[in-house]
Amino acid sequence: MLDAWLLDKLLFATWETIYMVLTSTVLSYLFGLPLGVILVITAKGHIMERIGINRVLGWVINATRSVPFIIFLILLIPLTRLIAGTYIGTVASIVPLTLAAIPFVARMVETSLKEIEWGLIEAALSMGASTWTIISQVLLPEAKPSLILGVAITTINLVGYSAMAGIVGGGGLGTLAYYYGYQRYENSIMWATVIVLIILVQGVQMLGDNLAGKVAKKRR
Amino acid sequence: MIKIKELSKVYLTPSQKITALDNVSLTVEKGEIFGIIGLSGAGKSTLIRCINMLEKPTMGSIVVDGQEITSLAKRELRTARQKIGMIFQHFNLLSSRTVFANVMFPLEIAKVPRPEAARRARELLELVGLADKEGAFPSQLSGGQKQRVGIARALANGPKLLLSDEATSALDPQTTRSILKLLRDINRKFNLTILLITHDMNVIKEICDRVAVIDNSHIVEVGEVLKVFASPSSPTARSFVNTVISREVPAELLHRSQVQNEQTHVKLIRVSFIGPSAGAPVISSMIRQFDIEANILYGNVDRIKDTPFGNLALELIGPPGVLQESMDYLRSRGLEIEVLNNA
């Protein structure tokens, strides 16, 4: 059933998925992490209160998040073409994956940072800490275990999104499952993809739990 | 060290205006331990936060060591804050940093060169008795140890003023005493001015030189701690003093008749002894000198900071004129007298 040809296809598709997911996770944090921080510190009563910016940012994030990913994917085709030169293939998929994940990451980061007790920020302020010092020395380090879990959740979400991108030619396990499993009725391929996806998701979650646990345990 | 003038703080919520501080003026001298006591919601927390501008006053001025804090630009304010240490009820240590790194934090903020900062941090941990814990994380410490780290951290940049925000309120009585002792030692060693807020009159009694009583956004009484304990003038101050020293005389004694007959009156008085007079046999010499009877209803001797402080409820029985003379005599020997059955 699982012959060499299939195995080869599966391995390659798995690699493509990992590549897409990891790249878009990194890129989405590159933009989403600062946005999440801004979302927190510009809120009312926080260290850089800017209510206008906060509202606009919150609104944009909500608007982006309310569009279902599959529609987002199609809407973004022109932009994807502009950035990647094409809208088909793994590299092109990274554009919509990243753009869809950024607002999600921003909210995840916001949630993690909001858990920090205000007293810690107040203590840093009382020592004369600047906004940047508070971000880099208080907010981010204190929220580290929670932020790591956020990365795991984001990555897992992106595994799912990448499969959707695969259906419109994005490459990876999604493409494999769609073309071979669905259109050619090759059930074994369909099931093999599902099993690989389960392993991927489990692996990411375990890694996240482990890392977060290690950081938290050191402090305990 | 601190001059607060006509300070007001008003919070505006969409539905209402909340006045946390209403025209508060206060002066704290260099080197003293000054306590502000009040119930929760009285405004003491807002007041102490205004001094390092964690709260922005609505009106008024605050001068710390000759510097007007309320009008500083952001950068100047940050520099000024480095010289005002603060400790907190819930310690507020960074869980991501070791004890040592927590004490290093303010030194990093002040950009003290690393070797010097490390030396200073170790010195301070030595001072607060935690030299052996420098590698531990805050969660591995007891409450008292956490507050010691907080104190070391607050002293890191050699502040001229230490603000203490209910620093012992989350600690048990024994730990509270040891932390208060540490604060007093630091106050003496560095001649460091300490401004503390508390709702616990014991804290005032143990270490403060002067006290301000805050009630409903107003300062209702300010004075030497001994004075306030001996003769609190506001009802709020009186009820705080009563939480520590029982000064109340049972009601049935208060309502006993003042006049036994034309010649013999009964006066119920409270006598407060402060300092050396607490040791002198003033009452017995009064009885010997005047022809009256004295009946002790209640008495105790306490210690306020380092001064003995006694409290005595006496029933004096005798002719009205002689009673007056004997009370004058007690006053002339430096005792505070308060007549209780003057109704």
Side-chain angles (χ1 to χ4, degrees):
Chain A
M1 189 188 99
L2 215 74
D3 52 28
W5 175 84
L6 173 60
L7 197 65
D8 197 48
K9 276 268 174 214
L10 193 64
L11 278 178
F12 185 68
T14 306
W15 157 246
E16 279 187 326
T17 295
I18 291 175
Y19 167 75
M20 278 191 294
V21 167
L22 286 189
T23 313
S24 44
T25 302
V26 171
L27 288 176
S28 61
Y29 265 88
L30 207 61
F31 296 97
L33 184 71
L35 282 179
V37 171
I38 291 170
L39 213 46
V40 170
I41 63 173
T42 57
K44 189 165 167 46
H46 219 286
I47 54 174
M48 221 180 87
E49 180 177 314
R50 300 278 191 287
I51 303 207
I53 294 178
N54 192 269
R55 282 222 185 106
V56 171
L57 193 59
W59 188 86
V60 171
I61 286 171
N62 286 345
T64 342
R65 289 195 62 201
S66 28
V67 183
F69 181 65
I70 195 83
I71 295 170
F72 198 71
L73 208 57
I74 296 162
L75 278 177
L76 276 182
I77 285 176
L79 184 69
T80 307
R81 261 191 168 144
L82 197 73
I83 295 174
T86 170
Y87 68 94
I88 291 168
T90 41
V91 178
S93 297
I94 290 170
V95 177
L97 284 176
T98 304
L99 286 174
I102 288 172
F104 180 77
V105 169
R107 286 288 184 215
M108 293 293 284
V109 170
E110 183 195 21
T111 310
S112 297
L113 298 189
K114 272 188 172 166
E115 281 166 25
I116 295 165
E117 271 177 65
W118 178 250
L120 294 181
I121 297 159
E122 206 173 45
L125 284 173
S126 80
M127 295 173 214
S130 62
T131 303
W132 172 244
T133 305
I134 292 176
I135 295 168
S136 64
Q137 302 297 314
V138 180
L139 293 181
L140 296 178
E142 286 295 309
K144 203 160 150 194
S146 166
L147 287 170
I148 291 172
L149 289 176
V151 174
I153 294 173
T154 307
T155 312
I156 289 168
N157 256 343
L158 281 170
V159 170
Y161 282 1
S162 81
M164 276 190 244
I167 289 172
V168 293
L173 291 165
T175 305
L176 189 70
Y178 184 67
Y179 284 112
Y180 292 85
Y182 177 67
Q183 293 194 331
R184 295 193 193 173
Y185 308 109
E186 291 201 44
N187 262 329
S188 55
I189 290 208
M190 195 63 122
W191 282 109
T193 340
V194 170
I195 289 166
V196 172
L197 284 173
I198 289 173
I199 294 170
L200 276 182
V201 169
Q202 291 287 355
V204 170
Q205 189 63 54
M206 268 166 57
L207 193 69
D209 287 344
N210 237 314
L211 277 175
K214 258 189 200 139
V215 174
K217 197 178 168 191
K218 207 182 86 187
R219 301 173 181 177
R220 231 179 281 130
Chain B
M1 177 54 66
I2 311 175
K3 272 202 174 68
I4 301 172
K5 251 207 205 137
E6 290 156 22
L7 182 72
S8 293
K9 172 76 185 178
V10 179
Y11 294 100
L12 288 173
T13 70
S15 54
Q16 56 184 336
K17 211 170 97 174
I18 301 161
T19 306
L21 293 173
D22 189 9
N23 203 15
V24 167
S25 296
L26 209 58
T27 304
V28 178
E29 303 298 337
K30 184 164 175 46
E32 76 174 334
I33 303 185
F34 192 100
I36 297 172
I37 190 163
L39 298 171
S40 35
K44 56 190 191 302
S45 201
T46 306
L47 179 54
I48 200 167
R49 274 171 176 70
C50 282
I51 290 164
N52 60 1
M53 293 288 282
L54 288 176
E55 295 274 4
K56 292 199 177 18
T58 312
M59 259 192 307
S61 102
I62 301 169
V63 176
V64 177
D65 200 26
Q67 193 175 32
E68 172 65 59
I69 290 283
T70 44
S71 61
L72 291 180
K74 268 194 172 165
R75 186 180 294 268
E76 295 168 320
L77 176 63
R78 287 205 295 267
T79 315
R81 278 173 172 168
Q82 290 170 11
K83 291 289 175 195
I84 304 175
M86 189 168 192
I87 54 177
F88 304 87
Q89 179 175 7
H90 297 296
F91 326 119
N92 295 344
L93 303 177
L94 296 176
S95 69
S96 53
R97 286 175 171 240
T98 61
V99 164
F100 175 73
N102 263 289
V103 182
M104 287 292 277
F105 189 32
L107 293 158
E108 288 164 17
I109 291 170
K111 299 198 167 65
V112 177
R114 173 104 193 157
E116 196 195 324
R119 190 181 50 74
R120 178 117 183 96
R122 295 217 160 81
E123 246 173 51
L124 285 163
L125 286 173
E126 188 84 40
L127 175 80
V128 300
L130 285 178
D132 57 328
K133 293 279 186 207
E134 67 164 61
F137 281 90
S139 56
Q140 296 158 343
L141 304 179
S142 69
Q145 289 173 325
K146 283 182 197 168
Q147 196 56 287
R148 283 169 188 273
V149 178
I151 291 170
R153 183 176 71 174
L155 296 179
N157 282 317
K160 45 201 174 182
L161 170 65
L162 179 68
L163 304 175
S164 164
D165 174 20
E166 298 270 13
T168 56
S169 297
L171 303 173
D172 62 61
Q174 258 147 319
T175 314
T176 295
R177 221 165 297 136
S178 79
I179 293 293
L180 292 178
K181 184 177 174 302
L182 176 63
L183 288 177
R184 182 153 40 146
D185 291 346
I186 288 162
N187 160 257
R188 284 190 188 143
K189 192 166 174 185
F190 304 115
N191 192 30
L192 177 70
T193 312
I194 299 179
L195 176 70
L196 63 84
I197 62 168
T198 183
H199 59 254
D200 180 1
M201 200 62 180
N202 275 304
V203 171
I204 304 286
K205 187 183 113 186
E206 295 267 339
I207 62 166
C208 290
D209 299 301
R210 285 200 301 145
V211 61
V213 181
I214 188 166
D215 185 22
N216 198 13
S217 319
H218 294 269
I219 301 270
V220 290
E221 188 161 346
V222 188
E224 306 270 329
V225 170
L226 281 168
K227 266 256 169 61
V228 173
F229 266 91
S231 50
S233 60
S234 62
T236 318
R238 216 168 297 143
S239 81
F240 274 121
V241 169
N242 285 341
T243 61
V244 180
I245 296 171
S246 169
R247 298 166 78 255
E248 293 305 307
V249 177
E252 63 265 30
L253 290 179
L254 278 177
H255 295 115
R256 270 206 275 196
S257 161
Q258 278 195 55
V259 184
Q260 287 195 341
N261 55 51
E262 281 297 289
Q263 299 310 311
T264 319
H265 282 198
V266 179
K267 273 239 181 293
L268 191 58
I269 63 171
R270 175 166 36 227
V271 184
S272 303
F273 311 79
I274 299 174
S277 66
V282 187
I283 302 295
S284 64
S285 66
M286 170 192 77
I287 297 168
R288 242 177 289 127
Q289 207 164 329
F290 302 95
D291 185 20
I292 56 165
E293 308 241 23
N295 181 19
I296 297 176
L297 299 172
Y298 166 85
N300 78 338
V301 176
D302 216 311
R303 187 171 278 274
I304 292 173
K305 209 172 179 191
D306 298 316
T307 315
F309 172 76
N311 226 309
L312 204 56
L314 280 182
E315 202 173 33
L316 301 181
I317 304 157
V322 185
L323 284 183
Q324 195 51 53
E325 279 173 43
S326 48
M327 288 197 301
D328 289 343
Y329 168 78
L330 291 180
R331 284 202 181 93
S332 74
R333 300 295 299 265
L335 302 186
E336 293 260 357
I337 306 290
E338 192 185 340
V339 179
L340 296 173
N341 61 347
N342 234 358

